[in-house]
Amino acid sequence: MKTIAEYIEEVIKEAFKASEYDEKFAKVTISNRPDLCEYQCNGAMAAAKTYRKAPIMIANSVVEKLQDSPVFESVEAVNPGFINLKVKKEFLADYLNRMLADPKLSVEEAKNPKTIVIDYGGPNVAKPLHVGHLRSAIIGESIKRMGRFLGHKVIGDVHLGDWGLQMGLIITELSKRKPELVYFDEAYEGEYPEEAPFTVSELEEIYPTASGKSKEDEAYKNEALEATLQLQQGRRGYRALWKHIMEVSVTDLKKNYAKLNVDFDLWMGESDADAYIPDMVNYLKENGYAYLDQGALVVDVKEETDTKEIPPCMILKSDGASLYNTTDLATIVQRMEDFKPDEIIYVVDKRQELHFVQVFRCAQKAKMVEDDTKLTFVGFGTMNGKDGKPFKTREGGVMRLERLIGEINEEMFRKIVENRSVKDENAEKTAQMVGLSAIKYGDLSNQASKDYIFDIERFTSFEGNTGPYILYTIVRIKSILSRYAEEGKNPEDGMIQCAVNASEKNLMLELSRFNSIIEPAFEEKAPHRICAYIYDLANAFNSFYHETRILGEEDEMKKRSWIRLLTLTKKVLETCIDLLGFSAPERM
Ligand code: ARG
């Protein structure tokens, strides 16, 4: 469906033309003075320059042509030349009824659906998930859902960090603790055991221990580097250990992501890119893109228009070892082979921006992607604590994701139980759902690229611009609808009638904006726009609710119309929170 603004603009264009002015001046926007009008057109001001006339004269003549329009309740020219518009109630009601009848609630699917790979999550195997990975998961999941809602084919890849030094560190530490394991016997030729020689909690302890040792002990670090190299070169025992580490870790990661309502289509990682490296390196060399600089293989990626220095993209170190660049480039090769995507989106900490500038430029310059393949970096800011520094535990350590989620859920549970007179065995489940909304909305309501303060108290509040407030609003609607159904009536029957008061009309106007929000939100990879929208919508609904006795209304027609309006509000809110990656309980 066209947006309301598009409908309005069409009519205004006709009026400009009828007045013999160019229709390009008929731009319509949402009013920035809601006390005066709902939509506005400022085109007369711009047209005044072209036609050398007073803007108010132009506005007056356009307004004259619009007097009997079926779209407007009122059209006014206001000095110096604004055209103030109010939408006709019938037109608005009709629009909302069409939304109700549309499975996508007025949002049109893309005419040319794209294949998009989205790379998000990026956890490092064997290291516990920490809050840094939270943002990537939350933002990426939302972008993925938006893209799919708009009809694109979106493939989510977790892109595990599974090939780096952390693997060598674990192997080294294991070799000290259990040197008798067959994995370390280079002469061994038999099958390796099915069972991993460690549990997930052991693994979680082994990594930080090894990492600590390597920082103090140079020889230890060299051993770990050597183990990493041998692993990458295919030493059998190490590969077998690596498989165990992967199995144990990935099972645990899956459990954690599931708790966050985050789901990946692909569980690929840096290790999967390894096989593509040798051919890629040859290709870069043979086609003259890469050259040797002090032993290292590099590709120049600076451009004339650069205002700051962009160093060459290093493909291989002088000892022949591959780097983060190498894996990311090889992963592009692999994704092009597997999916031929129109776009690859990376949702990664914005401090990695330079890395992606180099990788993207290299891929484009060396024609590893098509000319029209879009490579998009969505860089996010840091999640800080109330002190404005990166979020830590109360004791000052790195905050593990599980612990953070646990703390939020406890807080939510406490609040929910406080609100209840009767015992509710679902309270724990509800607390988890509301807790997730607190975390996700708290994150997504900020522009992704900005740092933000993770404030448990504020995020878990039932009032203000929070996830729990949005859920509370949905639950309120659900409860009215189910009481209506208890009266033996079907909330799916009937039509929305014209608004009878200002708060109802305001709610209707907010609802009608839905499609004008979703598409740009995806184009700009900006879930915060959806948050801003549902906050306005929830406020509009709650004002209407406080002014209106819905179930007590005696006029059946009116009551049914309101029930339909509530149904639409619920659908729009639920669709939006689904795009943000959380859902609402039945009660709270
Ligand atoms: N594992 C990386 C990290 O923790 C993030 C990976 C992001 N994705 C990518 N294709 N480089 O920093």
Side-chain angles (χ1 to χ4, degrees), residues 119-124 127 130 133 136 158-161 270 324 328 331 335 346-349 352 355-356:
D119 177 320
Y120 68 109
N124 298 313
K127 296 192 203 173
H130 63 78
H133 296 113
S136 180
V158 68
H159 199 73
L160 299 166
E270 295 177 356
Y324 192 36
D328 263 325
T331 304
R335 287 177 179 158
Y346 297 80
V347 186
V348 185
D349 192 314
Q352 295 193 20
H355 163 74
F356 285 99

Side-chain angles (χ1 to χ4, degrees), residues 4-16:
I4 285 271
E6 281 165 351
Y7 275 113
I8 297 178
E9 206 163 283
E10 264 174 23
V11 179
I12 303 279
K13 271 186 184 164
E14 287 310 314
F16 267 82

Side-chain angles (χ1 to χ4, degrees), residues 282-426:
N282 281 340
Y283 168 84
L284 290 173
K285 279 197 214 155
E286 279 164 17
N287 291 282
Y289 296 116
Y291 65 93
L292 282 174
D293 180 20
Q294 296 169 21
L297 190 70
V298 302
V299 175
D300 276 334
V301 291
K302 61 173 187 286
E303 286 169 9
E304 261 170 41
T305 48
D306 288 341
T307 48
K308 59 175 190 244
E309 163 107 22
I310 307 287
C313 183
M314 195 185 287
I315 309 291
L316 293 177
K317 290 203 280 191
S318 49
D319 64 0
S322 55
L323 307 97
Y324 192 36
N325 288 335
T326 329
T327 346
D328 263 325
L329 282 165
T331 304
I332 290 181
V333 174
Q334 170 236 317
R335 287 177 179 158
M336 289 308 288
E337 267 181 31
D338 290 356
F339 308 108
K340 233 180 182 307
D342 301 292
E343 182 172 7
I344 309 178
I345 302 172
Y346 297 80
V347 186
V348 185
D349 192 314
K350 71 175 176 202
R351 285 169 293 190
Q352 295 193 20
E353 180 161 15
L354 177 61
H355 163 74
F356 285 99
V357 169
Q358 292 176 307
V359 167
F360 292 177
R361 283 188 183 182
C362 180
Q364 277 151 349
K365 177 179 176 180
K367 306 210 174 301
M368 298 159 73
V369 293
E370 306 284 327
D371 287 341
D372 55 359
T373 312
K374 233 171 120 185
L375 299 171
T376 308
F377 176 63
V378 179
F380 53 79
T382 309
M383 175 173 145
N384 289 322
K386 272 189 175 171
D387 57 1
K389 299 203 185 96
F391 199 85
K392 292 266 152 66
T393 60
R394 255 171 262 129
E395 303 78 49
V398 173
M399 182 58 117
R400 307 226 346 224
L401 201 52
E402 261 181 305
R403 171 153 172 208
L404 178 83
I405 297 173
E407 283 184 12
I408 291 264
N409 289 350
E410 258 167 49
E411 177 67 12
M412 262 355 299
F413 184 74
R414 201 180 53 72
K415 285 196 177 163
I416 286 168
V417 172
E418 236 168 47
N419 267 350
R420 295 281 161 84
S421 44
V422 283
K423 206 172 159 281
D424 178 358
E425 59 272 18
N426 287 329

